[in-house]
Amino acid sequence: MGFHMLESIQYKGRSAEWLAFDNMHHQWLLLAACFWVIFMFMVASKFITLTFKDPDVYSAKQELLFLTAVPEDAARSPGETHFAKELKPTGKMPLGDQLVQPLVYMQRLELIRNVCREEALRSLSHTAISKFVLDRIFVCDKHRILFCQTPKVGNTQWKKVLIVLNGAFPSIEEIPENVVHDHEKNGLPRLSSFSNEEIQMRLKTYFKFFIVRDPFERLISAFKDKFVHNPRFEPWYRHEIAPGIIRKYRRNRTETRGIQFEDFVRYLGDPNHRWLDLQFGDHIIHWVTYVELCAPCEIRYSVIGHHETLEEDAPYILKEAGIDHLVSYPTIPPGITVYNKTKVEHYFLGISKRDIRRLYARFEGDFKLFGYQKPDFLLN
Ligand SMILES: *[C@@H]1O[C@H](CO)[C@@H](O)[C@H](O)[C@H]1NC(C)=O
Ligand SMILES: *[C@@H]1O[C@H](CO)[C@@H](O)[C@H](O)[C@H]1NC(C)=O
């Protein structure tokens, strides 16, 4: 408004016939100045809301809130500490649950962005969006959803949800078990089956999500499922893959038992594991890192679900994907998603610290990106 005052000073002392005009002029200037101020304010406020929506600027606010949640988590006894329970501290804040809950999901995305920027972790957090990754991602065009498959976290259920949404079957109960993983028949295409432009368009505009769980507990689960119980009758795990691992990694040559968790740990922690990976083909999806499966630093996922909080995360994902009125996630049996430290300790018992540290060194990216606590009770 500086120019306005200046002009009114210049107009002083002019003749009376000018005075009327001067007053009018004065008023117009005042009005124009006010409009200018209002206009500038509107532009500024628009700019402020826009920058707030930009996640990188928003992060400053997020980090503050994140810090308030962390000490509570760290204060808990190491035995019971689990990152997933971090939901609780934010829940204690005076805001209503509806407002607070999405914060957890935003913090997860923010953590990923921060860890992706850490130079020291680069090789453990980054991967190319290769055909291997595009094969892991399933497409629901009807509702514009991409789902990256991460085995051993209830993925079959999510696939069923998407199969129903794509319209191949009317309900989850009606999908035959053998069709869920048969992508010729189940009407759930892989992202890799599209052209380059179609892939780019979907990656840019669709709702994208995947589910993670504690990386070591996941490996135990994969080991049990593929080498111990093998409920889906996939004989190649025990008859091809296990002997391959034993040949290369068993320490005690006179030991003739079937594959032990120790052999598996030594294979996974070997910096040259790729040599065997290549022979095992896509079966490695059960134990390669989440980074290798879903490229979380290259693809900007909309939501990351945690197996440990699936009871809250599944409905949230359905809501965010805009499909909560169409499907619901099947009932989760109580207790199965809870992190079980006793079980983890039991499986790693007797395995050398060196081998466990090498395993952690490979999975450190997954631990850090998804906020899982470093398992010091195994490493030290
Ligand atoms: C190697 O395995 C055999 C057979 O199970 C066992 O008797 C022997 O004690 C083991 N040796 C070592 C050094 O663990
Ligand atoms: C944790 O795992 C142990 C050993 O596998 C099992 O005995 C126990 O029941 C599990 N605890 C819970 C709470 O599931």
Side-chain angles (χ1 to χ4, degrees), residues 335 338 340 342-343 346-347:
V338 179
N340 186 337
T342 314
K343 186 177 75 189
H346 169 76
Y347 270 84

Side-chain angles (χ1 to χ4, degrees), residues 332-345:
I332 303 158
I336 66 151
T337 63
V338 179
Y339 175 78
N340 186 337
K341 191 187 171 206
T342 314
K343 186 177 75 189
V344 175
E345 280 175 326

Side-chain angles (χ1 to χ4, degrees), residues 252-257:
N252 183 349
R253 289 283 152 198
T254 58
E255 173 68 78
T256 55
R257 282 186 299 174

Side-chain angles (χ1 to χ4, degrees), residues 90-103:
T90 51
K92 280 179 202 149
M93 289 163 78
L95 293 161
D97 267 356
Q98 262 81 356
L99 281 171
V100 170
Q101 218 190 16
L103 203 59

